[in-house]
Amino acid sequence: PQAPSTRNDIRDCSADPPYLPPTATNTTARLAALRGTMRTHGADAYIVPATDAHMSEYISERDARLGWLSGFTGSAGTAVVTRDKAALWTDSRYWTQAERELDCNWELQRTTSIESIGMWILKAVPAGGSVSLDPFLFSIDTWNSYSRALHGSGRTLMPLETNLVDQAWGDQRPLPSSSEIYSLPAEFTGSSWQEKVAGIRQRMEQHVRRPTAVMLSGLEETAWLFNLRGDDIPYNPVFYSYTLLTNTTISLFVEGSRLSAAARESLLSGCPGPLCVELQEYGQVSAHLRRYAQGKVTVWLGTEYTTYGLYGIIPKEKLLEENYSPVMMAKAVKNAHEQEMLRAAHVRDAVAVIQYLLWLEKTVPQGHVDEFLGAQHIDALRWAQEHSRGPSFQSISASG
């Protein structure tokens, strides 16, 4: 039925019956499935973020838990589900989109502050209740913010290593990527991975705390360190992985079967020895880190990309915390060859943009080009350039 409101592309939950646009997702069964798993685990509320286990800005379909549960496909948001309520917090970029995609099971909260989420939880969850989340999907700072928001309220913040959305999603959840992880040709890197590892080990030696290991969680950190690339996340040349680099060993946690023959050969070329990369299963990182942290060690990590789940494994006195890992800091400084490669890439991209502007001048007056066709055309022109691996984000095409 048509709502009396002037806009029919957004939901109207006050109408009788409620009006939902065709873009809204029916989430009744999904919420029921999640609430079933919540009951099993004794959770009165469950917090669902929009990120992955590596604090990535963009995520794969397999990690789009918030999107599956709520129907909301924006890139930023947090959901909280209780036994009888569901709410989504997102920023002003996405308010209209949320009203188009959510059904009437959901309240839209037009803010993103953790204080606001905390206040809502205190109203929705009675004292003595337990608030659960997956600690491997929250940054250290975010976990601490929730902890402060609930402190002294009689509600318990309870980490659950079983992800309840994944349980509810079941076999409908997209499979992990199986595409090839490949080596970046030497002509693009300016230094071999062995040189990069030696540089990081030198930083470890020079640090006043003399850390024995560096733990890498950010996907671009491992990709940069080993000169490897993948396409697990759209528009991002990365692959799911962790690295534990010690002063004598290198452990790469990755789906080993996906490495190209050349990549595998490159990683194993220094075996045995301090430049031998030991390939471990991606899912083994927590167990490996727990074993390592039992020794006389100090683990250096960047808090911006490390989840609370991994952070919590390492005893406090064995931690060296900085905002960014030494790999992230090294990656930020481009050598002369990388700078030259960047300039060359910008020239190739500029050629595509000039071709596009010329095409627009000729075709727009004919009246057959809209913004979507324009976005498709500039993508095609960029793909035609040498070395193109596609754009770094979906073209944002607008006029007028």
Side-chain angles (χ1 to χ4, degrees), residues 248-269:
T248 55
T249 64
I250 311 166
S251 299
L252 171 58
F253 300 87
V254 68
E255 202 56 59
S257 60
R258 296 178 51 204
L259 289 163
S260 71
R264 179 180 285 270
E265 192 180 323
S266 161
L267 295 172
L268 302 180
S269 59

Side-chain angles (χ1 to χ4, degrees), residues 134-212:
D134 178 345
F136 289 93
L137 293 180
F138 289 84
S139 71
I140 300 157
D141 281 352
T142 306
W143 169 275
N144 289 336
S145 298
Y146 280 115
S147 194
R148 281 194 299 274
L150 299 179
H151 182 71
S153 70
R155 283 86 172 164
T156 315
L157 191 58
M158 184 171 75
L160 282 177
E161 294 200 6
T162 303
N163 188 289
L164 302 190
V165 175
D166 293 352
Q167 280 204 332
W169 205 345
D171 57 10
Q172 297 301 300
R173 187 180 174 209
L175 295 170
S177 174
S178 58
S179 62
E180 188 174 75
I181 299 166
Y182 58 94
S183 289
L184 200 62
E187 64 190 278
F188 295 109
T189 61
S191 45
S192 67
W193 70 258
Q194 291 90 342
E195 289 167 330
K196 292 178 177 180
V197 164
I200 300 304
R201 282 178 170 157
Q202 194 177 356
R203 289 183 183 221
M204 289 160 67
E205 277 172 35
Q206 290 167 349
H207 198 287
V208 65
R209 292 264 320 264
R210 298 297 290 271
T212 60

Side-chain angles (χ1 to χ4, degrees), residues 38 62 67 69 99 130 176 191 194 211 229 241 244 262 348 352 364:
M38 285 166 60
R62 181 176 171 79
L69 182 67
E99 295 287 10
S130 114
S191 45
Q194 291 90 342
R229 298 292 185 267
S241 55
L244 185 69
R348 291 194 298 274
V364 168

Side-chain angles (χ1 to χ4, degrees), residues 27 30-31 34 48 64-72 79 81 106 165:
T27 63
R30 297 173 186 189
L31 285 167
L34 176 62
V48 183
R65 297 174 178 91
L66 181 68
W68 174 79
L69 182 67
S70 67
F72 171 69
V81 177
W106 291 86
V165 175

Side-chain angles (χ1 to χ4, degrees), residues 2 39 57 66 89 98 111 147 153 158 170 207 242 244 277 308 315 347 355 366 395:
Q2 196 63 31
R39 275 192 296 277
E57 181 184 0
L66 181 68
W89 284 258
T111 171
S147 194
S153 70
M158 184 171 75
H207 198 287
Y242 294 95
L244 185 69
V277 179
Y308 183 78
V347 168
Q355 289 173 329
Q366 296 165 18
S395 286

Side-chain angles (χ1 to χ4, degrees), residues 214-227 238 241 243 301-302 305-306 324-329 331:
V214 175
M215 179 72 217
L216 304 179
S217 290
L219 298 182
E220 59 270 50
E221 296 179 298
T222 288
W224 177 85
L225 184 64
F226 296 113
N227 293 331
V238 295
S241 55
T243 300
L301 53 79
Y305 287 86
T306 305
Y324 297 100
S325 77
V327 169
M328 205 58 107
M329 300 306 284
K331 182 175 97 66

